[in-house]
């Protein structure tokens, strides 16, 4: 199985939003990066835009 590579990008957030994300991440025991990845993946799932894996399971 090939190792998946993540693609980096620059994200600018206002200080108040960044503070909220940092607090949320700490409450969930995640890094800020991990929290942002989770937020994006969760939004994609909720809006039906996450590609399905073979076998009908949504991709993580």
């Amino acid at each position: 199985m090939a190792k998946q590579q993540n693609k980096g990008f620059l994200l600018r957030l206002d200080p108040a939003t960044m503070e909220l994300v940092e607090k949320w991440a700490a409450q969930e025991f995640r890094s800020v990066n991990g929290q942002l990845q989770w937020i994006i993946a969760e939004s994609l799932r909720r809006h039906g835009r996450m590609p399905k894996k073979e076998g009908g399971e949504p991709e993580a």
Side-chain angles (χ1 to χ4, degrees):
M1 193 179 260
K3 184 176 178 180
Q4 180 180 352
Q5 290 188 348
N6 293 329
K7 186 173 183 176
F9 68 97
L10 179 63
L11 175 64
R12 291 184 176 91
L13 297 175
D14 62 89
T17 301
M18 185 63 183
E19 186 176 336
L20 291 169
V21 171
E22 288 171 338
K23 286 180 181 178
W24 189 9
Q27 291 169 346
E28 299 282 331
F29 303 104
R30 292 187 180 109
S31 65
V32 170
N33 187 66
Q35 188 69 17
L36 290 169
Q37 288 178 326
W38 179 85
I39 291 168
I40 292 167
E42 182 65 16
S43 181
L44 290 169
R45 276 190 290 275
R46 285 184 180 191
H47 293 277
R49 297 185 180 267
M50 184 68 78
K52 301 272 185 185
K53 284 185 182 177
E54 289 182 28
E57 296 273 331
E59 208 172 295

